Amino acid sequence: MALVCAFTVYGAAQPQGSLTADRRGRMRHSNHASLMAWRSDIRAAMQVHVPHIAHALFSGPLAVRIVFAIPKPPSVSRRRLFPTVAPDLDRLVRAVGDALTQTVVRDDSQIVHWDAWKVYTDGPAEARIELWEPDAVVPLSTVNPFQQQGLF
């Protein structure tokens, strides 16, 4: 797999919330304002850190690797590495996929593989995102292609 780009988005990741109807009957995400700000942060970070692809939409398949680093609250044991509390990982991934739509890919349906983690950090909240161009079908019995590259 060939690395397309890698960048970091600083700030607390926002999950893609449930849809609710507003007073006019339009469907909106329950956390619309924070979600739209988070998507905007993803697009801005991508355009700043990898400007060579800022205006090129990929038409083929992509694989995405994300590590969501969440600040560890003081009440959590030092030995605990992974947050098992909200926000749900699948909602965080959906928000990133939608932010990449019309920014890197024409549609997030082009994403054929996700590798996503939530981890605690002693530092600030951030999301480290990598986009890969898969070059072959990876059978289930092989090693993780991201580990083969030695990046994480």
Side-chain angles (χ1 to χ4, degrees):
M1 295 204 338
L3 180 65
V4 173
C5 68
F7 57 96
T8 301
V9 184
Y10 297 99
Q14 297 298 310
Q16 185 135 324
S18 302
L19 289 174
T20 58
D22 67 8
R23 287 184 247 178
R24 295 182 182 166
R26 294 178 299 192
M27 298 303 288
R28 295 174 66 120
H29 292 282
S30 57
N31 61 338
H32 180 76
S34 60
L35 176 62
M36 293 303 120
W38 171 242
R39 286 184 188 172
S40 178
D41 289 349
I42 294 169
R43 291 180 181 120
M46 195 265 328
Q47 291 171 351
V48 166
H49 296 291
V50 283
H52 64 281
I53 66 166
H55 300 290
L57 293 178
F58 282 86
S59 58
L62 280 180
V64 180
R65 177 149 205 252
I66 311 171
V67 177
F68 295 100
I70 299 170
K72 186 182 285 191
S75 60
V76 173
S77 165
R78 289 181 150 272
R79 288 181 274 163
R80 179 177 275 179
L81 299 175
F82 304 105
T84 56
V85 296
D88 293 355
L89 185 60
D90 62 325
R91 290 180 177 223
L92 292 171
V93 165
R94 285 190 351 228
V96 171
D98 284 349
L100 295 176
T101 297
Q102 292 301 313
T103 304
V104 177
V105 294
R106 295 186 197 293
D107 188 78
D108 59 353
S109 64
Q110 292 170 239
I111 299 170
V112 297
H113 178 81
W114 288 98
D115 184 19
W117 292 84
K118 285 192 315 184
V119 298
Y120 277 131
T121 182
D122 293 329
E126 65 183 24
R128 294 182 299 272
I129 302 172
E130 295 177 350
L131 304 176
W132 295 79
E133 207 167 12
D135 52 7
V137 174
V138 180
L140 293 175
S141 62
T142 64
V143 175
N144 181 338
F146 299 107
Q147 290 173 341
Q148 291 175 350
Q149 297 291 326
L151 293 173
F152 282 92

